[in-house]
Amino acid sequence: LLPKAARAWRLPELMDALRTYEEASQTGVLLEYILLAGLNDTEECAEALVDLITSARLQHAGINLIPYNPTDAGAEAGFKLPSDKRC
């Protein structure tokens, strides 16, 4: 989720909306997760993501793990590309 979007839509409400969509459409949702070295690319983060999906009772969610694509702005913020092993 984009930081600005996270301020507008809280995670519990977003997960509820995804579940409602799944139920109404009878299709799954695709969650896109950008991996940032040292920030959210650990086994614990992966387990937390699975727990989030499970606790939201999403039945057909897919996860697209996206390695961070370096940018000047990201470099200024200290973001780094995760290792291939983490992807």
Side-chain angles (χ1 to χ4, degrees):
L1 293 174
L2 298 172
K4 289 184 180 184
R7 286 192 290 272
W9 297 288
R10 300 290 178 217
L11 196 52
E13 290 85 7
L14 177 61
M15 299 308 286
D16 287 343
L18 292 174
R19 184 179 56 258
T20 299
Y21 174 81
E22 266 196 353
E23 291 169 354
S25 68
Q26 295 297 303
T27 62
V29 296
L30 179 63
L31 305 173
E32 296 191 340
Y33 189 87
I34 298 176
L35 295 168
L36 299 165
L39 292 176
N40 67 352
D41 65 339
T42 65
E43 294 294 323
E44 293 81 15
C45 290
E47 290 171 10
L49 184 57
V50 170
D51 289 345
L52 176 67
I53 292 167
T54 302
S55 68
R57 299 184 316 276
L58 296 178
Q59 299 297 311
H60 307 286
I63 303 171
N64 184 16
L65 298 176
I66 304 169
Y68 166 69
N69 186 15
T71 64
D72 290 340
E76 288 178 21
F79 297 152
K80 294 184 176 130
L81 179 70
S83 68
D84 286 343
K85 182 179 178 181
R86 290 287 179 197
C87 296

